[in-house]
Amino acid sequence: MLKNSLEQLNGPQRQAAMIADEHVRIIAGAGSGKTRVLMVRIAYLIEEIGILPWRIMAITFTNKAANEMKERLRAMIGPTADDVRISTIHSLCVRMLREDGMTIGYPSTFTILDPDDQHAIIRRIEAERSISKKDFSPASVTSYISSCKSADVPVEKALAQAASKQKVYAELYEQYEKVRREMKAMDFDDLLREADRMLKTEPQVREKWQKRLDYIHVDEFQDVDPVQYSIVRQLCGPDTKVCVVGDPDQTIYTWRGASVDLILRFDKDFVPCQTIILNENYRSTRSILDASNKLIANNMDRIKKDLFTSSKEDDPIVFHESLEDSEESVFVARQIVDLHKQGIPYSDMALLYRSNFLSRTFEKTFRTVGLPYRIYGGIRFYERKEIKDILSYLRLCTEPDENDPDRLALNLAVTRVLNVPKRSIGEKTIEKIRIQAAQEQINMYEVLSHPENIAKSTASKLLRFYDMIEDLKNIRAQSGLLAMFDALLEESGYEKMLTESDEQERLDNILELRSDIADSLKDAPDMTLEQYLQDIALFTDRSEDGTEQSGVTMMTVHASKGLEFPVVIVTDLNEGIFPNGRAINESGRRGLEEERRLLYVAMTRAKKKLILTWSSGYSYMLDCYKTPSRFLDEIPQEEEEEVSDALQESTDRKRSKGAKVKYRKGDLVEHKVFGQGIIIDIDHNTAMIAFGHKTGVKKIDLDHPAIQKA
């Protein structure tokens, strides 16, 4: 069996599997068969070298990956595989701490705190210190604590560095750690930190574990963080050999602590070391690999490799620009329908986007035309909590509905958002409102204007809520739906709540809902709020055909890591979206390189067909008109299958010889008064330039001294 498995490997794969006397760094490109190599290597060590299986360890990062390894190895060498130490890094740390944690003050029966346990501790501390849960939610506090621990910021340092509101977070961190230690408990971050501390400070423990291991293997090594790296180093004894498998070009989790530097410097920390590059791809076509290679070659923090394939099958990449995001979703839907007619199952197709909020336009189009789809690792747009909350607020701002004369729909809205954000209005108060509404035969919203049998302090909060909604209605009447939407986010405190808890993804979803309303108004300027909510209700209530699980898979690029599909569509390739503007602003070149790695991962999920799409038009999220992603200039388009009219016009202009054109459509420009804009049309020497939504589109002479290229 082993001989057969070795023969099936290519040259570099076989070499990596058979190195037994040195450390090994396997740089495994996407689709290069790395897991198979790792399993053959372990089998080789057991059956050919004679290493005892329990002296071999394999570390991975998910239970799914660990179970897959066990099954593959069992199929290769039988029951002996069960003796190999295959586990996640967290499981390994739990095992070490259960056995030896007493050396650093933990009993073998220590408690592991899950997020609910952490929130309970925080709530207790806040109650004891009279700290408002509204201002410091348990979720935001535990997120702060986890960030501190991931960045190796102890309590003392957090207290010293904290200012203003952060001071309270740091103090809660201090109290949380005090309670946790008194309980002899650990959260998930502590499992790694305390295991690392134990190995560093207790030499007898470190030597005991080192003596148990001859070989350590680490899968997906590009995803390790400094603490995990330190644990591996501590477990490596004088005679232990370490083999790591990973791809620097797929390091996309730096926001969770991963560092590309660790795999890049591995050969300096583990000597002697051989580096084996696996660059034969068994997944994708030549066009996909050529484009991916060209893209990622622009990164500096990497180990050079060019993926190639022996497969003769090929299909040119499709590049497509749409005039606006609604047209982009229609184009994608049309592509999917055409491919399905050619015999490709919907389940063989994946739609990838940079951020969750981008699913909205595609979900809406797919539901409209009856395309089955599923959100992988996420929730459908209109079912997300923040979207339901804001829609409930909007429902409260509607006029009476003749189909709902009692306005019972308002009862549900009141129940959902009366205390969101938290206004210290409890369930008992809401029940009293419900009882009063039933007694007076009115709806719960009307009760808010004259609450009875409710404490004066709470009644005043209800009246303020009622007045806020009435003010929003007035804003709608005077300034329109979008103005009311903006006022709602501010006056309700919802935007502030998400900002202070650093929930940017939820904020992005809400801004996308605003875009949805703006798009609807653009299509139907006379649309009312009531009509919009009715359309959403009809849209979300539309029955499923039961084929959701066999539909098109929609997901973020991060969620797609480790997956593959015959057809992959990567959408919204616009500057500021992909690459993400915040990532670049916060992390500079490193942020840009991670965004490029993210697109590389997206493209290499595709086995046979890759479609890349983007759109122009105004973006409320970016507060400007959209431009194509800079990454598109880094991808060869010699074999493009489809190009939009707008893109073709630009290409033709580029190729025209002798033309003395200073400006062209799509150029970014800077105006002394209006700021930055984008040229959307040129007629001789006069340009239509789109600035931010406050300025809009202006017709400007290109020779005017106020205008210049950005």
Side-chain angles (χ1 to χ4, degrees):
M1 183 67 178
L2 175 61
K3 183 181 178 184
N4 199 36
S5 297
L6 282 168
E7 288 174 352
Q8 290 176 0
L9 302 180
N10 62 37
Q13 288 176 329
R14 197 177 304 114
Q15 184 184 3
M18 296 173 69
I19 297 172
D21 56 349
E22 292 182 285
H23 302 298
V24 186
R25 177 176 61 178
I26 304 173
I27 305 299
S32 61
K34 65 179 179 64
T35 304
R36 181 171 61 162
V37 172
L38 206 55
M39 295 303 96
V40 173
R41 174 179 168 84
I42 293 174
Y44 176 81
L45 291 172
I46 295 170
E47 296 200 347
E48 290 295 318
I49 306 298
I51 306 299
L52 297 172
W54 50 87
R55 297 188 64 82
I56 300 173
M57 177 181 286
I59 301 170
T60 186
F61 292 91
T62 66
N63 288 318
K64 181 183 175 184
N67 291 331
E68 183 186 342
M69 281 186 180
K70 290 174 184 176
E71 289 173 9
R72 286 199 181 193
L73 192 59
R74 196 178 290 118
M76 205 174 291
I77 62 174
T80 303
D82 297 334
D83 294 326
V84 179
R85 301 172 185 264
I86 300 176
S87 72
T88 65
I89 187 103
H90 283 88
S91 295
L92 169 64
C93 290
V94 169
R95 193 183 313 138
M96 289 193 295
L97 289 164
R98 293 280 188 219
E99 191 170 323
D100 296 303
M102 72 287 294
T103 61
I104 56 170
Y106 290 95
S108 60
T109 55
F110 68 84
T111 301
I112 300 174
L113 301 173
D114 64 21
D116 288 340
D117 298 324
Q118 291 179 276
H119 292 171
I121 293 172
I122 297 297
R123 281 194 291 269
R124 194 178 85 197
I125 295 170
E126 289 180 336
E128 290 172 353
R129 298 189 59 193
S130 299
I131 295 173
S132 169
K133 289 184 287 187
K134 175 184 173 183
D135 297 327
F136 299 91
S137 71
S140 68
V141 176
T142 53
S143 176
Y144 169 83
I145 292 170
S146 182
S147 297
C148 285
K149 290 183 177 183
S150 297
D152 199 22
V153 177
V155 167
E156 299 75 20
K157 190 174 180 181
L159 287 167
Q161 293 178 342
S164 65
K165 189 172 182 176
Q166 290 289 97
K167 191 79 172 176
V168 179
Y169 278 109
E171 290 170 353
L172 288 168
Y173 177 22
E174 180 182 35
Q175 290 299 309
Y176 169 84
E177 284 294 277
K178 183 181 177 183
V179 171
R180 181 186 67 76
R181 290 195 181 99
E182 287 173 354
M183 293 172 62
K184 304 294 184 183
M186 285 183 253
D187 57 39
F188 292 148
D189 292 311
D190 294 320
L191 292 174
L192 302 182
R193 287 164 51 84
E194 294 296 85
D196 185 47
R197 180 168 73 89
M198 179 177 71
L199 292 171
K200 284 178 176 175
T201 60
E202 305 298 325
Q204 75 281 7
V205 175
R206 181 174 65 250
E207 289 169 13
K208 181 181 90 172
W209 282 89
Q210 288 177 348
K211 287 177 180 178
R212 290 180 179 182
L213 299 170
D214 292 327
Y215 291 88
I216 300 172
H217 301 81
V218 187
D219 194 18
E220 301 290 356
F221 193 73
Q222 77 279 343
D223 294 335
V224 302
D225 63 27
V227 174
Q228 293 162 350
Y229 189 73
S230 175
I231 290 170
V232 173
R233 292 195 70 178
Q234 303 304 320
L235 289 173
C236 180
D239 300 318
T240 309
K241 298 294 181 286
V242 179
C243 171
V244 300
V245 185
D247 183 4
D249 292 336
Q250 297 187 69
T251 304
I252 60 173
Y253 296 121
T254 59
W255 50 276
R256 280 188 334 198
S259 172
V260 70
D261 295 335
L262 299 178
I263 191 169
L264 295 179
R265 77 172 196 227
F266 178 86
D267 60 332
K268 306 294 190 302
D269 294 335
F270 292 83
V271 181
C273 174
Q274 282 201 51
T275 295
I276 308 296
I277 294 177
L278 307 182
N279 57 352
E280 183 170 0
N281 179 284
Y282 296 92
R283 176 188 299 159
S284 306
T285 64
R286 181 187 59 79
S287 290
I288 294 169
L289 296 179
D290 286 350
S292 303
N293 288 335
K294 290 283 175 47
L295 172 74
I296 202 63
N298 292 276
N299 272 10
M300 296 172 61
D301 295 336
R302 64 188 300 264
I303 294 172
K304 188 178 184 306
K305 68 177 186 311
D306 283 333
L307 297 179
F308 72 94
T309 180
S310 300
S311 172
K312 303 300 181 185
E313 188 178 2
D314 203 13
D315 197 352
I317 299 172
V318 174
F319 298 82
H320 186 85
E321 180 183 43
S322 301
L323 294 176
E324 55 186 34
D325 54 8
S326 60
E327 290 187 12
E328 183 178 5
S329 64
V330 170
F331 168 79
V332 168
R334 192 165 59 243
Q335 290 287 298
I336 290 170
V337 169
D338 289 345
L339 290 166
H340 186 63
K341 287 178 179 176
Q342 296 170 28
I344 299 175
Y346 290 124
S347 56
D348 280 357
M349 299 183 239
L351 181 74
L352 309 185
Y353 34 77
R354 174 61 179 81
S355 304
N356 271 310
F357 75 87
L358 296 165
S359 74
R360 192 262 307 176
T361 53
F362 298 97
E363 286 192 64
K364 210 164 184 180
T365 297
F366 288 10
R367 293 287 288 272
T368 301
V369 302
L371 271 180
Y373 72 93
R374 67 182 184 117
I375 304 290
Y376 181 89
I379 303 170
R380 294 181 178 223
F381 183 81
Y382 295 101
E383 295 170 8
R384 294 166 191 169
K385 181 184 182 303
E386 58 275 16
I387 300 301
K388 285 187 170 183
D389 287 347
I390 300 301
L391 289 175
S392 291
Y393 271 109
L394 293 175
R395 175 64 62 190
L396 293 174
C397 298
T398 58
E399 299 300 325
D401 183 358
E402 63 180 17
N403 296 317
D404 184 16
D406 298 325
R407 305 196 74 192
L408 296 178
L410 297 189
N411 292 354
L412 296 173
V414 168
T415 303
R416 184 175 185 93
V417 298
L418 185 57
N419 198 41
V420 180
K422 293 188 182 300
R423 301 183 175 92
S424 299
I425 302 171
E427 287 298 322
K428 289 183 179 178
T429 299
I430 293 173
E431 183 58 27
K432 287 179 180 179
I433 296 169
R434 190 179 287 110
I435 292 169
Q436 184 179 334
Q439 290 172 343
E440 297 183 22
Q441 296 186 329
I442 58 177
N443 61 72
M444 292 173 68
Y445 177 71
E446 292 176 81
V447 172
L448 300 182
S449 65
H450 60 285
E452 300 173 359
N453 302 318
I454 292 173
K456 190 174 180 181
S457 60
T458 302
S460 65
K461 295 172 185 173
L462 300 180
L463 285 167
R464 283 199 297 273
F465 182 89
Y466 179 85
D467 290 341
M468 176 189 70
I469 298 298
E470 293 300 307
D471 288 343
L472 291 172
K473 290 179 181 179
N474 290 331
I475 293 172
R476 174 193 170 190
Q478 295 171 16
S479 304
L481 184 50
L482 290 176
M484 185 198 78
F485 187 97
D486 295 337
L488 186 163
L489 294 184
E490 183 175 354
E491 296 302 321
S492 68
Y494 207 99
E495 185 175 27
K496 181 183 177 185
M497 174 186 73
L498 296 183
T499 301
E500 290 183 349
S501 57
D502 197 26
E503 296 189 75
Q504 188 59 52
E505 185 173 306
R506 294 179 67 193
L507 272 172
D508 288 345
N509 282 329
I510 290 173
L511 289 176
E512 187 63 17
L513 181 64
R514 189 190 192 279
S515 296
D516 189 38
I517 296 171
D519 290 343
S520 299
L521 285 169
K522 186 166 62 176
D523 295 335
D526 298 329
M527 181 196 72
T528 65
L529 174 60
E530 291 75 17
Q531 289 169 333
Y532 175 75
L533 291 174
Q534 182 177 328
D535 289 344
I536 295 299
L538 291 171
F539 172 76
T540 54
D541 287 344
R542 191 170 289 140
S543 61
E544 297 288 343
D545 58 7
T547 60
E548 181 182 286
Q549 293 304 310
S550 61
V552 177
T553 300
M554 298 173 60
M555 70 182 98
T556 63
V557 180
H558 281 104
S560 75
K561 179 80 162 41
L563 303 177
E564 60 182 40
F565 299 87
V567 178
V568 169
I569 305 164
V570 187
T571 69
D572 293 281
L573 286 165
N574 288 98
E575 199 64 22
I577 297 175
F578 205 165
N580 181 276
R582 282 192 297 269
I584 298 173
N585 291 337
E586 291 171 6
S587 304
R589 177 185 67 81
R590 289 215 158 197
L592 176 62
E593 292 207 352
E594 179 150 359
E595 290 294 299
R596 189 177 284 112
R597 290 195 293 267
L598 200 55
L599 180 55
Y600 175 81
V601 167
M603 293 170 65
T604 54
R605 298 312 92 196
K607 296 168 70 174
K608 295 181 179 180
K609 192 168 191 68
L610 176 64
I611 301 172
L612 305 177
T613 73
W614 64 101
S615 64
S616 49
Y618 186 79
S619 167
Y620 289 93
M621 184 68 64
L622 302 175
D623 193 23
C624 64
Y625 281 81
K626 292 185 284 188
T627 58
S629 168
R630 70 186 74 187
F631 295 151
L632 290 164
D633 291 332
E634 299 171 1
I635 300 172
Q637 300 186 23
E638 293 84 3
E639 298 185 20
E640 58 199 32
E641 186 172 299
E642 179 165 351
V643 181
S644 71
D645 292 340
L647 187 59
Q648 190 62 56
E649 182 182 338
S650 173
T651 303
D652 291 343
R653 191 172 283 117
K654 286 180 190 175
R655 292 172 179 171
S656 62
K657 295 181 180 179
K660 297 180 180 180
V661 182
K662 187 177 179 181
Y663 297 93
R664 66 173 185 265
K665 189 174 168 183
D667 277 350
L668 287 174
V669 296
E670 190 76 32
H671 193 278
K672 287 184 178 179
V673 177
F674 303 137
Q676 195 172 85
I678 181 173
I679 298 176
I680 58 176
D681 196 19
I682 296 178
D683 184 11
H684 295 92
N685 209 45
T686 301
M688 298 291 289
I689 303 176
F691 298 96
H693 73 273
K694 292 180 181 177
T695 303
V697 178
K698 300 287 185 183
K699 186 179 284 188
I700 295 177
D701 187 339
L702 289 172
D703 288 333
H704 198 282
I707 195 85
Q708 62 180 5
K709 277 194 175 183

